[in-house]
Amino acid sequence: MPNDPLRVAVVCSSNQNRSMEAHNILSKRGFDVRSFGTGTHVKLPGPAPDKPNVYDFKTTYEQMYSDLVRKDKELYTQNGILHMLERNKRVKARPERFQSCSDQFDLVITCEERVYDQVLEDLNSREQVTFQTVHVINVDIQDNHEEATLGAFLICELCQCIQHTDDMENEMDELLQEFEEKSSRPFLHTVCFY
């Protein structure tokens, strides 16, 4: 690999918790990173499981924060949502949808299998122009604050190892197998083209 930082996309469903925690850590480690969601809307927990807070992807993290403070500051402070949105505001202005981005990446890391499938579907439906490869890797991470943090450090360690390989194309499978054994998590991997 060249000394240029890997161009990494981290993708979860709503671009709120898992992808943003990884985005935050990777950017601090010098990676060229962006984060995305694949959902049609951004969903945050609400007062009950059947009453989520639903926002459009154009809504800024600041607007979500203000809305939740207005609705029930104590609840959203207690469950960590306001803290998460404060972190998100420091990283970027608003959530982004993967399907709306035309930038190219060396590596796309998804945080759950359903999102992995959506990313592959999107990449495979795009017209191939440069035929540059992109490695799509899924690391299953539960959508809670603690798992998002643990998952972000695992993603960061994986990216650092990939960054330092001499031949990413030929060393990827062996590297992922080592990470599977070390983390006791299954990894999915597909190579797509731009």
Side-chain angles (χ1 to χ4, degrees):
M1 270 318 285
N3 289 334
D4 296 333
L6 282 174
R7 293 170 301 167
V8 181
V10 188
V11 191
C12 66
S13 185
S14 288
N15 198 196
Q16 288 290 339
N17 184 27
R18 297 166 293 178
S19 62
M20 286 300 289
E21 183 67 18
H23 184 155
N24 188 34
I25 288 172
L26 286 168
S27 64
K28 288 178 179 172
R29 301 287 196 287
F31 283 93
D32 180 359
V33 61
R34 293 192 48 203
S35 58
F36 301 92
T38 55
T40 51
H41 291 90
V42 172
K43 290 183 183 169
L44 288 172
D50 62 337
K51 294 180 182 165
N53 291 286
V54 180
Y55 301 99
D56 188 272
F57 269 90
K58 292 181 181 83
T59 311
T60 66
Y61 294 121
E62 181 64 53
Q63 290 166 326
M64 293 176 205
Y65 185 92
S66 299
D67 182 52
L68 296 181
V69 165
R70 185 182 50 76
K71 286 178 178 174
D72 190 339
K73 184 175 182 179
E74 189 177 330
L75 169 68
Y76 297 112
T77 299
Q78 259 180 350
N79 68 11
I81 301 294
L82 293 181
H83 177 72
M84 181 185 76
L85 287 169
E86 284 174 357
R87 177 211 53 213
N88 293 355
K89 289 189 295 182
R90 290 191 301 270
V91 174
K92 64 181 189 178
R94 63 174 45 88
E96 296 175 85
R97 200 159 179 263
F98 183 78
Q99 295 91 328
S100 303
C101 176
S102 59
D103 293 354
Q104 293 185 1
F105 300 95
D106 301 306
L107 197 56
V108 177
I109 300 179
T110 60
C111 300
E112 68 179 271
E113 194 169 342
R114 180 177 57 88
V115 172
Y116 175 78
D117 292 339
Q118 291 169 326
V119 165
L120 291 179
E121 182 182 332
D122 179 64
L123 287 172
N124 289 324
S125 70
R126 296 180 184 191
E127 185 180 342
Q128 293 176 359
V129 181
T130 63
F131 293 93
Q132 177 195 326
T133 60
V134 55
H135 291 266
V136 184
I137 298 170
N138 183 66
V139 181
D140 274 322
I141 300 169
Q142 289 178 19
D143 195 1
N144 62 54
H145 301 301
E146 186 179 341
E147 274 292 307
T149 301
L150 294 172
F153 282 109
L154 181 65
I155 288 170
C156 185
E157 189 181 345
L158 176 63
C159 289
Q160 287 171 327
C161 286
I162 292 169
Q163 176 75 47
H164 293 103
T165 58
D166 294 324
D167 184 354
M168 185 165 86
E169 304 306 320
N170 291 317
E171 295 179 38
M172 184 66 80
D173 289 335
E174 191 178 322
L175 190 67
L176 290 175
Q177 191 173 354
E178 286 174 23
F179 267 82
E180 274 190 352
E181 290 166 9
K182 189 166 138 182
S183 66
S184 302
R185 294 176 192 247
F187 285 65
L188 299 171
H189 174 233
T190 302
V191 177
C192 295
F193 296 90
Y194 282 115

